[in-house]
Structure formats: C-alpha cells, structure tokens
Amino acid sequence: MNRLEKTRSLILCALFAALTAVLSQIAIPIQPVPVNLATFSVFVAGGVLGAKRGAISQAVYVLLGVIGLPVFASFSGGMGILLGPTGGYIVGYVAAAWLVGLLSARCHGKAYWFALSMAGGLALCYLLGTAWYMVVAHTGLVESLLLCVVPFLPGDAAKIAVAALLVPVLRKTLSKAGMAVSV
C-alpha cells in the first residue's frame, strides 16, 4: 500500500469512527440499553472498509469514548461506560465490524449476502454485549435477552436491510473515486 492509499485508508477509518459517534446520538433512551443508530454505522463500516479497517474504525470510536470524549449514546464517554451494562455491546462494535468485513469479502456485491454478513456481525455483538450485561447486572440469560436483545430485533433488522442495500453502492462509488475498499 503506497502513501496515498494509506492516507485514504486512515481518512475512511476516521470518517466511520466519526459516523458511529454521530449516529450514537440519534437515540431513543430506553433502559438498560438505548436504541440508537450506531450499529448501522458498524454494518456499513465492515461492509465498505473490510475486516481490518472496519474493526480499526470502531476501535478508534471506542478509544475516543474511553478517553472521555462524549461519543457514546446520550453524549457520554469515559471508561465507566465500558465497565457499565452497555460496555459489552460497545466493544462488540469492533468485533461486529470485523466479522461483517470478513464475511462481506465473499458477498460479490449481492445485498442479501451483505445482509447475512451483517446479521452475523450483529449476533456476535449481541453475544459479547449480553454476556457482559449478565456479568455486570447479575441477571440470567433469558432476562438479559428479553431486556437487551428482543426489543432491538425489529430496528436492527431495518438497519441491516438499509445497510445491505447501501454498502454495494458505497463500495462502487468509492472504487470509482480511487478509494480502496473492503480489503
């Protein structure tokens, strides 16, 4: 990768970290986990940037929040958020973007395959987040799933549907602009 490609890659990772921060603020503040659009950004980051850069973009987002910048839902930040009940889901963004990117490399531009890769990434995010929630909140699996997963399924399905249609368009547009995508 030459210097120009590295610069473009860094810019794309930074843009997706910023997009996640912005979409985290578009939320419905229900308890214990707010509904927001952050996972939409995670899906698109993985689908467009690929496994490595998608994960890097989300790791940057998480690190910005850890150092105290108000990038998490409701303009919150700090290590306390990661150690709290939603921390596993936030860390799960990194893993989800990685898995979406890994699986998206085999999608051949087909929206339904992108949707399946995003569903896999979401399942991984749910797994990590729910496991952490159970530890922090001292709840059982069924209670945790009913609080932290089931209410989010319809919204996440809609985010996946839109993201799966958007990713092929973005990949094609960025490719035409000379921006390397999905490595």
PDB file of all heavy atoms in Angstrom, residues 4 8 11 14 17 19 22 24 40-41 49 51 53 100-102 106 108 112 121 133-135 138 146 178:
ATOM      1  N   LEU A   4      -0.353   7.353  -0.498  1.00  0.00           N
ATOM      2  CA  LEU A   4      -1.669   7.906  -0.801  1.00  0.00           C
ATOM      3  C   LEU A   4      -2.776   6.941  -0.367  1.00  0.00           C
ATOM      4  O   LEU A   4      -3.767   7.354   0.235  1.00  0.00           O
ATOM      5  CB  LEU A   4      -1.795   8.225  -2.297  1.00  0.00           C
ATOM      6  CG  LEU A   4      -3.126   8.816  -2.751  1.00  0.00           C
ATOM      7  CD1 LEU A   4      -3.420  10.121  -2.012  1.00  0.00           C
ATOM      8  CD2 LEU A   4      -3.113   9.040  -4.253  1.00  0.00           C
ATOM      9  N   ARG A   8      -5.650   7.626   2.429  1.00  0.00           N
ATOM     10  CA  ARG A   8      -7.076   7.422   2.146  1.00  0.00           C
ATOM     11  C   ARG A   8      -7.690   6.425   3.130  1.00  0.00           C
ATOM     12  O   ARG A   8      -8.818   6.607   3.591  1.00  0.00           O
ATOM     13  CB  ARG A   8      -7.271   6.937   0.723  1.00  0.00           C
ATOM     14  CG  ARG A   8      -7.018   8.006  -0.309  1.00  0.00           C
ATOM     15  CD  ARG A   8      -7.164   7.465  -1.701  1.00  0.00           C
ATOM     16  NE  ARG A   8      -7.039   8.520  -2.672  1.00  0.00           N
ATOM     17  CZ  ARG A   8      -6.851   8.323  -3.955  1.00  0.00           C
ATOM     18  NH1 ARG A   8      -6.782   7.086  -4.435  1.00  0.00           N
ATOM     19  NH2 ARG A   8      -6.746   9.331  -4.787  1.00  0.00           N
ATOM     20  N   ILE A  11      -8.228   8.120   6.432  1.00  0.00           N
ATOM     21  CA  ILE A  11      -9.361   9.046   6.335  1.00  0.00           C
ATOM     22  C   ILE A  11     -10.680   8.281   6.420  1.00  0.00           C
ATOM     23  O   ILE A  11     -11.591   8.686   7.149  1.00  0.00           O
ATOM     24  CB  ILE A  11      -9.279   9.881   5.041  1.00  0.00           C
ATOM     25  CG1 ILE A  11      -8.122  10.880   5.132  1.00  0.00           C
ATOM     26  CG2 ILE A  11     -10.598  10.603   4.762  1.00  0.00           C
ATOM     27  CD1 ILE A  11      -7.781  11.562   3.824  1.00  0.00           C
ATOM     28  N   ALA A  14     -11.271   7.110   9.970  1.00  0.00           N
ATOM     29  CA  ALA A  14     -11.666   8.242  10.806  1.00  0.00           C
ATOM     30  C   ALA A  14     -13.104   8.667  10.516  1.00  0.00           C
ATOM     31  O   ALA A  14     -13.880   8.969  11.442  1.00  0.00           O
ATOM     32  CB  ALA A  14     -10.712   9.418  10.588  1.00  0.00           C
ATOM     33  N   ALA A  17     -15.427   6.184  12.166  1.00  0.00           N
ATOM     34  CA  ALA A  17     -15.434   6.392  13.622  1.00  0.00           C
ATOM     35  C   ALA A  17     -16.319   7.587  13.951  1.00  0.00           C
ATOM     36  O   ALA A  17     -17.141   7.537  14.885  1.00  0.00           O
ATOM     37  CB  ALA A  17     -14.016   6.601  14.138  1.00  0.00           C
ATOM     38  N   LEU A  19     -18.752   8.806  12.065  1.00  0.00           N
ATOM     39  CA  LEU A  19     -20.140   8.462  11.752  1.00  0.00           C
ATOM     40  C   LEU A  19     -20.772   7.675  12.894  1.00  0.00           C
ATOM     41  O   LEU A  19     -21.923   7.928  13.270  1.00  0.00           O
ATOM     42  CB  LEU A  19     -20.205   7.661  10.445  1.00  0.00           C
ATOM     43  CG  LEU A  19     -21.606   7.249   9.995  1.00  0.00           C
ATOM     44  CD1 LEU A  19     -22.460   8.467   9.682  1.00  0.00           C
ATOM     45  CD2 LEU A  19     -21.514   6.322   8.784  1.00  0.00           C
ATOM     46  N   VAL A  22     -21.628  10.086  15.674  1.00  0.00           N
ATOM     47  CA  VAL A  22     -22.815  10.892  15.365  1.00  0.00           C
ATOM     48  C   VAL A  22     -24.075  10.038  15.470  1.00  0.00           C
ATOM     49  O   VAL A  22     -25.066  10.437  16.095  1.00  0.00           O
ATOM     50  CB  VAL A  22     -22.692  11.524  13.962  1.00  0.00           C
ATOM     51  CG1 VAL A  22     -24.013  12.138  13.517  1.00  0.00           C
ATOM     52  CG2 VAL A  22     -21.583  12.568  13.943  1.00  0.00           C
ATOM     53  N   SER A  24     -24.576   7.433  17.171  1.00  0.00           N
ATOM     54  CA  SER A  24     -24.830   7.020  18.555  1.00  0.00           C
ATOM     55  C   SER A  24     -25.730   8.023  19.277  1.00  0.00           C
ATOM     56  O   SER A  24     -26.392   7.679  20.251  1.00  0.00           O
ATOM     57  CB  SER A  24     -23.513   6.896  19.331  1.00  0.00           C
ATOM     58  OG  SER A  24     -22.794   5.797  18.869  1.00  0.00           O
ATOM     59  N   PHE A  40     -25.863   0.660  12.699  1.00  0.00           N
ATOM     60  CA  PHE A  40     -25.939   0.916  11.258  1.00  0.00           C
ATOM     61  C   PHE A  40     -24.556   1.293  10.732  1.00  0.00           C
ATOM     62  O   PHE A  40     -24.103   0.776   9.719  1.00  0.00           O
ATOM     63  CB  PHE A  40     -26.953   2.029  10.966  1.00  0.00           C
ATOM     64  CG  PHE A  40     -27.031   2.396   9.515  1.00  0.00           C
ATOM     65  CD1 PHE A  40     -27.762   1.614   8.629  1.00  0.00           C
ATOM     66  CD2 PHE A  40     -26.378   3.514   9.026  1.00  0.00           C
ATOM     67  CE1 PHE A  40     -27.823   1.941   7.282  1.00  0.00           C
ATOM     68  CE2 PHE A  40     -26.441   3.850   7.690  1.00  0.00           C
ATOM     69  CZ  PHE A  40     -27.165   3.060   6.813  1.00  0.00           C
ATOM     70  N   SER A  41     -23.887   2.174  11.447  1.00  0.00           N
ATOM     71  CA  SER A  41     -22.531   2.579  11.057  1.00  0.00           C
ATOM     72  C   SER A  41     -21.565   1.405  11.127  1.00  0.00           C
ATOM     73  O   SER A  41     -20.689   1.263  10.266  1.00  0.00           O
ATOM     74  CB  SER A  41     -22.047   3.713  11.962  1.00  0.00           C
ATOM     75  OG  SER A  41     -20.756   4.114  11.608  1.00  0.00           O
ATOM     76  N   LEU A  49     -15.299  -1.046   4.437  1.00  0.00           N
ATOM     77  CA  LEU A  49     -13.865  -0.994   4.733  1.00  0.00           C
ATOM     78  C   LEU A  49     -13.201  -2.363   4.810  1.00  0.00           C
ATOM     79  O   LEU A  49     -11.983  -2.461   4.757  1.00  0.00           O
ATOM     80  CB  LEU A  49     -13.622  -0.251   6.047  1.00  0.00           C
ATOM     81  CG  LEU A  49     -14.093   1.194   6.113  1.00  0.00           C
ATOM     82  CD1 LEU A  49     -13.817   1.772   7.492  1.00  0.00           C
ATOM     83  CD2 LEU A  49     -13.448   2.032   5.031  1.00  0.00           C
ATOM     84  N   ALA A  51     -12.662  -6.193   6.939  1.00  0.00           N
ATOM     85  CA  ALA A  51     -12.499  -6.656   8.320  1.00  0.00           C
ATOM     86  C   ALA A  51     -11.519  -5.789   9.113  1.00  0.00           C
ATOM     87  O   ALA A  51     -11.858  -5.273  10.183  1.00  0.00           O
ATOM     88  CB  ALA A  51     -12.050  -8.111   8.335  1.00  0.00           C
ATOM     89  N   ARG A  53      -9.913  -2.755   8.484  1.00  0.00           N
ATOM     90  CA  ARG A  53     -10.176  -1.319   8.603  1.00  0.00           C
ATOM     91  C   ARG A  53     -11.526  -1.043   9.248  1.00  0.00           C
ATOM     92  O   ARG A  53     -11.687  -0.043   9.953  1.00  0.00           O
ATOM     93  CB  ARG A  53     -10.045  -0.650   7.246  1.00  0.00           C
ATOM     94  CG  ARG A  53      -8.591  -0.655   6.765  1.00  0.00           C
ATOM     95  CD  ARG A  53      -8.388   0.099   5.482  1.00  0.00           C
ATOM     96  NE  ARG A  53      -9.205  -0.477   4.413  1.00  0.00           N
ATOM     97  CZ  ARG A  53      -9.583   0.182   3.328  1.00  0.00           C
ATOM     98  NH1 ARG A  53      -9.208   1.427   3.151  1.00  0.00           N
ATOM     99  NH2 ARG A  53     -10.308  -0.402   2.408  1.00  0.00           N
ATOM    100  N   VAL A 100     -18.367  -8.603   9.935  1.00  0.00           N
ATOM    101  CA  VAL A 100     -19.087  -8.138   8.744  1.00  0.00           C
ATOM    102  C   VAL A 100     -18.104  -7.970   7.588  1.00  0.00           C
ATOM    103  O   VAL A 100     -18.361  -8.398   6.467  1.00  0.00           O
ATOM    104  CB  VAL A 100     -19.849  -6.822   9.015  1.00  0.00           C
ATOM    105  CG1 VAL A 100     -20.377  -6.214   7.716  1.00  0.00           C
ATOM    106  CG2 VAL A 100     -20.993  -7.051   9.992  1.00  0.00           C
ATOM    107  N   GLY A 101     -16.955  -7.352   7.872  1.00  0.00           N
ATOM    108  CA  GLY A 101     -15.948  -7.160   6.833  1.00  0.00           C
ATOM    109  C   GLY A 101     -15.405  -8.468   6.299  1.00  0.00           C
ATOM    110  O   GLY A 101     -15.220  -8.642   5.089  1.00  0.00           O
ATOM    111  N   LEU A 102     -15.148  -9.398   7.201  1.00  0.00           N
ATOM    112  CA  LEU A 102     -14.631 -10.711   6.801  1.00  0.00           C
ATOM    113  C   LEU A 102     -15.622 -11.430   5.892  1.00  0.00           C
ATOM    114  O   LEU A 102     -15.262 -11.943   4.829  1.00  0.00           O
ATOM    115  CB  LEU A 102     -14.335 -11.543   8.051  1.00  0.00           C
ATOM    116  CG  LEU A 102     -13.729 -12.912   7.814  1.00  0.00           C
ATOM    117  CD1 LEU A 102     -12.276 -12.764   7.373  1.00  0.00           C
ATOM    118  CD2 LEU A 102     -13.807 -13.751   9.085  1.00  0.00           C
ATOM    119  N   ARG A 106     -16.793 -11.908   0.677  1.00  0.00           N
ATOM    120  CA  ARG A 106     -17.279 -13.009  -0.151  1.00  0.00           C
ATOM    121  C   ARG A 106     -18.686 -12.765  -0.708  1.00  0.00           C
ATOM    122  O   ARG A 106     -19.321 -13.673  -1.198  1.00  0.00           O
ATOM    123  CB  ARG A 106     -17.278 -14.294   0.665  1.00  0.00           C
ATOM    124  CG  ARG A 106     -15.870 -14.740   1.051  1.00  0.00           C
ATOM    125  CD  ARG A 106     -15.900 -15.547   2.330  1.00  0.00           C
ATOM    126  NE  ARG A 106     -14.601 -15.973   2.759  1.00  0.00           N
ATOM    127  CZ  ARG A 106     -13.718 -15.218   3.402  1.00  0.00           C
ATOM    128  NH1 ARG A 106     -13.986 -13.960   3.639  1.00  0.00           N
ATOM    129  NH2 ARG A 106     -12.556 -15.686   3.791  1.00  0.00           N
ATOM    130  N   HIS A 108     -19.705 -10.652  -3.206  1.00  0.00           N
ATOM    131  CA  HIS A 108     -19.787 -10.407  -4.645  1.00  0.00           C
ATOM    132  C   HIS A 108     -20.852  -9.377  -5.007  1.00  0.00           C
ATOM    133  O   HIS A 108     -21.545  -9.511  -6.023  1.00  0.00           O
ATOM    134  CB  HIS A 108     -20.024 -11.706  -5.413  1.00  0.00           C
ATOM    135  CG  HIS A 108     -19.038 -12.780  -5.074  1.00  0.00           C
ATOM    136  ND1 HIS A 108     -17.692 -12.677  -5.400  1.00  0.00           N
ATOM    137  CD2 HIS A 108     -19.176 -13.948  -4.401  1.00  0.00           C
ATOM    138  CE1 HIS A 108     -17.068 -13.759  -4.966  1.00  0.00           C
ATOM    139  NE2 HIS A 108     -17.926 -14.538  -4.353  1.00  0.00           N
ATOM    140  N   TYR A 112     -28.269  -9.456  -0.428  1.00  0.00           N
ATOM    141  CA  TYR A 112     -28.721 -10.476   0.526  1.00  0.00           C
ATOM    142  C   TYR A 112     -27.544 -11.107   1.262  1.00  0.00           C
ATOM    143  O   TYR A 112     -27.659 -11.460   2.427  1.00  0.00           O
ATOM    144  CB  TYR A 112     -29.618 -11.528  -0.130  1.00  0.00           C
ATOM    145  CG  TYR A 112     -29.015 -12.255  -1.307  1.00  0.00           C
ATOM    146  CD1 TYR A 112     -28.262 -13.406  -1.136  1.00  0.00           C
ATOM    147  CD2 TYR A 112     -29.224 -11.788  -2.603  1.00  0.00           C
ATOM    148  CE1 TYR A 112     -27.724 -14.068  -2.214  1.00  0.00           C
ATOM    149  CE2 TYR A 112     -28.690 -12.446  -3.692  1.00  0.00           C
ATOM    150  CZ  TYR A 112     -27.933 -13.587  -3.491  1.00  0.00           C
ATOM    151  OH  TYR A 112     -27.398 -14.241  -4.571  1.00  0.00           O
ATOM    152  N   GLY A 121     -22.584 -10.365  12.148  1.00  0.00           N
ATOM    153  CA  GLY A 121     -21.899  -9.371  12.975  1.00  0.00           C
ATOM    154  C   GLY A 121     -22.751  -8.932  14.142  1.00  0.00           C
ATOM    155  O   GLY A 121     -22.265  -8.771  15.272  1.00  0.00           O
ATOM    156  N   TYR A 133     -23.401  -7.860  29.941  1.00  0.00           N
ATOM    157  CA  TYR A 133     -24.549  -7.361  30.693  1.00  0.00           C
ATOM    158  C   TYR A 133     -24.905  -8.317  31.825  1.00  0.00           C
ATOM    159  O   TYR A 133     -25.190  -7.894  32.951  1.00  0.00           O
ATOM    160  CB  TYR A 133     -25.761  -7.149  29.775  1.00  0.00           C
ATOM    161  CG  TYR A 133     -26.949  -6.608  30.522  1.00  0.00           C
ATOM    162  CD1 TYR A 133     -27.062  -5.248  30.785  1.00  0.00           C
ATOM    163  CD2 TYR A 133     -27.938  -7.455  30.997  1.00  0.00           C
ATOM    164  CE1 TYR A 133     -28.132  -4.747  31.492  1.00  0.00           C
ATOM    165  CE2 TYR A 133     -29.017  -6.969  31.707  1.00  0.00           C
ATOM    166  CZ  TYR A 133     -29.104  -5.617  31.959  1.00  0.00           C
ATOM    167  OH  TYR A 133     -30.159  -5.122  32.674  1.00  0.00           O
ATOM    168  N   MET A 134     -24.887  -9.614  31.549  1.00  0.00           N
ATOM    169  CA  MET A 134     -25.211 -10.610  32.568  1.00  0.00           C
ATOM    170  C   MET A 134     -24.235 -10.534  33.738  1.00  0.00           C
ATOM    171  O   MET A 134     -24.651 -10.654  34.901  1.00  0.00           O
ATOM    172  CB  MET A 134     -25.194 -12.019  31.952  1.00  0.00           C
ATOM    173  CG  MET A 134     -26.351 -12.272  31.008  1.00  0.00           C
ATOM    174  SD  MET A 134     -26.190 -13.796  30.048  1.00  0.00           S
ATOM    175  CE  MET A 134     -26.080 -15.014  31.341  1.00  0.00           C
ATOM    176  N   VAL A 135     -22.962 -10.307  33.447  1.00  0.00           N
ATOM    177  CA  VAL A 135     -21.947 -10.198  34.499  1.00  0.00           C
ATOM    178  C   VAL A 135     -22.180  -8.943  35.334  1.00  0.00           C
ATOM    179  O   VAL A 135     -22.198  -8.991  36.565  1.00  0.00           O
ATOM    180  CB  VAL A 135     -20.518 -10.186  33.887  1.00  0.00           C
ATOM    181  CG1 VAL A 135     -19.480  -9.788  34.915  1.00  0.00           C
ATOM    182  CG2 VAL A 135     -20.192 -11.532  33.271  1.00  0.00           C
ATOM    183  N   HIS A 138     -25.848  -8.927  36.924  1.00  0.00           N
ATOM    184  CA  HIS A 138     -26.173 -10.129  37.703  1.00  0.00           C
ATOM    185  C   HIS A 138     -27.552 -10.678  37.330  1.00  0.00           C
ATOM    186  O   HIS A 138     -28.384 -10.953  38.193  1.00  0.00           O
ATOM    187  CB  HIS A 138     -26.098  -9.842  39.209  1.00  0.00           C
ATOM    188  CG  HIS A 138     -24.801  -9.254  39.633  1.00  0.00           C
ATOM    189  ND1 HIS A 138     -23.617  -9.951  39.637  1.00  0.00           N
ATOM    190  CD2 HIS A 138     -24.493  -7.991  40.033  1.00  0.00           C
ATOM    191  CE1 HIS A 138     -22.641  -9.168  40.038  1.00  0.00           C
ATOM    192  NE2 HIS A 138     -23.128  -7.968  40.281  1.00  0.00           N
ATOM    193  N   LEU A 146     -34.322 -10.763  27.038  1.00  0.00           N
ATOM    194  CA  LEU A 146     -35.596 -10.032  26.965  1.00  0.00           C
ATOM    195  C   LEU A 146     -35.399  -8.524  27.130  1.00  0.00           C
ATOM    196  O   LEU A 146     -36.149  -7.727  26.551  1.00  0.00           O
ATOM    197  CB  LEU A 146     -36.585 -10.562  28.009  1.00  0.00           C
ATOM    198  CG  LEU A 146     -37.130 -11.959  27.735  1.00  0.00           C
ATOM    199  CD1 LEU A 146     -37.965 -12.460  28.915  1.00  0.00           C
ATOM    200  CD2 LEU A 146     -37.936 -11.993  26.443  1.00  0.00           C
ATOM    201  N   GLY A 178     -11.335   5.987  -6.732  1.00  0.00           N
ATOM    202  CA  GLY A 178      -9.952   5.598  -6.479  1.00  0.00           C
ATOM    203  C   GLY A 178      -9.652   5.261  -5.032  1.00  0.00           C
ATOM    204  O   GLY A 178      -8.501   5.174  -4.624  1.00  0.00           O
TER     205      GLY A 178
END
